[in-house]
Amino acid sequence: MSMDVRDLGGRPVIIGGGIAGLMTALHLAPEPVLLLSRSPLGADSSSAWAQGGLAASLGDDDDPALHLADTLAAGDGLCDAQAAGPIVYGAPAAIEYLACLGVRFDRTPTGALRLGLEAAHSRRRIVHAGGDGSGREIMRALVAAMRSMPTIEVVEGFEARRLAMEGGRIAGVVASGPTGPVFVATARVVLATGGIGGLFHDSTNPLGSCGQGLALAAHAGAVLADMEFIQFHPTALDGSNRPMTLISEAVRGEGAVIVDETGRRFLDGVPGAELAPRDIVARAVWKHLADGHRVFLDVREKQGATFGRQFPTIASACGRAGIDPTCDLIPIRPAQHYHMGGVAVDLGGRTSVPGLWACGEVASTGLHGANRLASNSLTEAVVCARWVAESVAGTPARRTKPAFAEDYPSPDPLSVRPFSSRALGIVRDGEGLQAAARALLPLAEGTHAVSDPAAVGLMIAIAVLQRQESRGAHYRTDFPHQAPDARRSKITLDDALGAARELANSPALERAM
Ligand SMILES: Cc1cc2nc3c(=O)[nH]c(=O)nc-3n(C[C@H](O)[C@H](O)[C@H](O)COP(=O)(O)OP(=O)(O)OC[C@H]3O[C@@H](n4cnc5c(N)ncnc54)[C@H](O)[C@@H]3O)c2cc1C
């Protein structure tokens, strides 16, 4: 039966088929809901690629208060404790809910959940499924649950390109599918579009994750938060493949060490060594590479023969690259991995635009602050999806007028990558940022394929310029210390365009920003 997407208007529309979109749809059921996904469900999403798992305080020696303390410490003074508390306290129940939905978590012979350790966690609290294939198993179960829910209409192969507004509120979604552009009239939209890795040369994200949800929200006038905070993972498999294969922190949690070509463990003197917070390990690896060394992960002594059983996804990626981790060193380099910033939301996922919600990586709840604690993002998406669904369900449907669907180009971040990779990477400086902002401004001002990715890059560049300190994952060589009284940052597209235009007209302006 052929179905016209326009006929499905009026219901809440969820944009994105990763864990955040699927969980929100499942929680909204049996309310009729329309889920738009650019790709077949589960494909092209970071969720399906997640290796480590979900963080939750489930061990006998653990407590949500300890999970909260670790989260706040990783966030380096910028987490919103009012948001972080409810999320980490909600984590154990969320894991139970996933198990009820059919997720087959890894268990001990007695049936208890097997708990892994990751960097900057003071307890073993990472729940896995299928070893290092956690995301794949979670998505398998969620997609099956979705398919059995008749009130959830899934429309694959449609990309949301713009949000329509009426009197300052959401009035619909302009999407493009196989038959061209369509307008779906709705007063309630949930963004669940994932991250920004596609803006960088070196990233672990699917290439299509280029911040389109941020661009949709920004064009609708939404406030975005903490845009400057981007996490770089220290251990991506170094090679020519893009996106890069992640080598999960769990590998270091099980004893792998980082060495250089001489076999030296150059992180030896760093508190926590290989399990120090991600930003510290990533910067150390980056610097060692910049100094002309090669850097490797060595699993031979601690994991050796068990590695393939414990980390089958990573082992087969190494195999494809001609590396046998039982006897070879694994070459690594840091790669963009996760965006702490996003559309500013409250715990119900409400943005500053009436009728617009956000959930998952595209949202910024305040949980992560300046640096995400490993495996807190899947947890955040699962916990918050329930509250987002409750908020959407509690907001009465409003009739909106059908409109003409203008055709907007599909985003293409290719020509943004050189600027973002150079200026918005692990180590930043004012000069490089100003150059990037000037270069991105004219690209962001048009309506071309590059414009939305450029607008996202520009908002990040301005937020980075305005944070004149170093904190968490954000490091500036010209402001290497923490500033007193630091706060979370907020920015709109107009703010970013205005700041970039001033910069373009006055080269010495950065000091005043
Ligand atoms: C390799 C890797 C390993 C990771 N491991 C872990 C881990 O172990 N633990 C952890 O907590 N986190 C992990 N993360 C981070 C975590 O996976 C993500 O933060 C999380 O999955 C994001 O979920 P999401 O639903 O917000 O976005 P995604 O899962 O990325 O889904 C976004 C969806 O939106 C769709 N989409 C985007 N734009 C549009 C549009 N305009 N129109 C229609 N559809 C659109 C995409 O096609 C996709 O389906 C990992 C990330 C990566 C890349």
Side-chain angles (χ1 to χ4, degrees), residues 15-21 36-39 42-54 118 158-161 192-195 204-206 208-209 212-213 216 246 337-338 359-362 372 374-379 381:
I15 304 172
I19 194 167
L36 291 182
S37 179
R38 192 171 48 203
S39 317
D44 190 26
S45 69
S46 291
S47 300
W49 294 4
Q51 295 176 352
L54 298 95
E118 287 188 350
F158 277 77
E159 182 174 75
R161 300 266 174 90
T193 50
T204 62
N205 293 187
S209 299
Q212 207 177 357
L216 292 172
L246 175 77
H337 184 56
Y338 182 80
C359 188
E361 191 166 338
V362 69
R372 174 185 69 126
S375 286
N376 259 358
S377 39
L378 291 177
T379 297

Side-chain angles (χ1 to χ4, degrees), residues 78 223-229 463 466-467 487-491:
L78 284 195
V223 174
L224 288 82
D226 299 340
M227 291 288 280
E228 64 275 32
F229 294 115
Q466 289 175 340
R467 184 163 296 281
R487 288 157 193 250
R488 297 184 62 200
S489 70
K490 299 277 162 71
I491 197 165

Side-chain angles (χ1 to χ4, degrees), residues 186-446:
T186 180
R188 296 174 292 172
V189 170
V190 181
L191 296 172
T193 50
I196 60 165
L199 299 181
F200 292 81
H201 286 309
D202 293 345
S203 171
T204 62
N205 293 187
L207 290 177
S209 299
C210 60
Q212 207 177 357
L214 301 175
L216 292 172
H219 282 292
V223 174
L224 288 82
D226 299 340
M227 291 288 280
E228 64 275 32
F229 294 115
I230 299 170
Q231 187 168 79
F232 295 86
H233 200 290
T235 58
L237 180 62
D238 194 6
S240 54
N241 279 356
R242 293 294 178 278
M244 295 172 84
T245 298
L246 175 77
I247 303 180
S248 163
E249 209 135 58
V251 175
R252 278 172 283 139
E254 296 303 323
V257 292
I258 294 178
V259 296
D260 64 15
E261 73 284 357
T262 67
R264 185 165 81 88
R265 274 181 75 186
F266 57 93
L267 275 149
D268 232 359
V270 174
E274 280 84 0
L275 289 178
R278 265 182 198 175
D279 60 301
I280 293 173
V281 181
R283 269 197 298 279
V285 172
W286 182 91
K287 180 161 184 320
H288 218 60
L289 287 167
D291 287 347
H293 294 278
R294 293 208 65 202
V295 180
F296 303 90
L297 205 53
D298 187 353
V299 308
R300 294 172 303 181
E301 193 187 322
K302 280 280 165 55
Q303 287 149 302
T306 61
F307 185 77
R309 266 202 313 282
Q310 220 174 346
F311 301 106
T313 311
I314 300 170
S316 70
C318 287
R320 285 194 298 279
I323 298 156
D324 175 358
T326 62
C327 51
D328 299 329
L329 293 172
I330 307 172
I332 54 162
R333 69 167 46 246
Q336 188 285 342
H337 184 56
Y338 182 80
H339 193 200
M340 276 72 80
V343 188
V345 293
D346 65 13
L347 274 184
R350 280 172 288 255
T351 72
S352 60
V353 173
L356 184 63
W357 288 258
C359 188
E361 191 166 338
V362 69
S364 176
T365 60
L367 170 69
H368 308 298
N371 206 0
R372 174 185 69 126
L373 185 65
S375 286
N376 259 358
S377 39
L378 291 177
T379 297
E380 179 190 41
V382 177
V383 172
C384 292
R386 175 188 291 276
W387 300 329
V388 173
E390 285 167 4
S391 171
V392 172
T395 304
R398 227 172 17 90
R399 285 184 75 82
T400 61
K401 289 196 264 324
F404 171 72
E406 213 178 310
D407 202 4
Y408 293 93
S410 186
D412 179 358
L414 195 65
S415 42
V416 171
R417 275 185 206 140
F419 304 110
S420 33
S421 303
R422 212 175 304 131
L424 310 178
I426 296 186
V427 174
R428 302 151 167 193
D429 67 79
E431 216 174 295
L433 288 160
Q434 291 187 38
R438 283 197 202 94
L440 290 171
L441 176 63
L443 303 177
E445 283 177 316

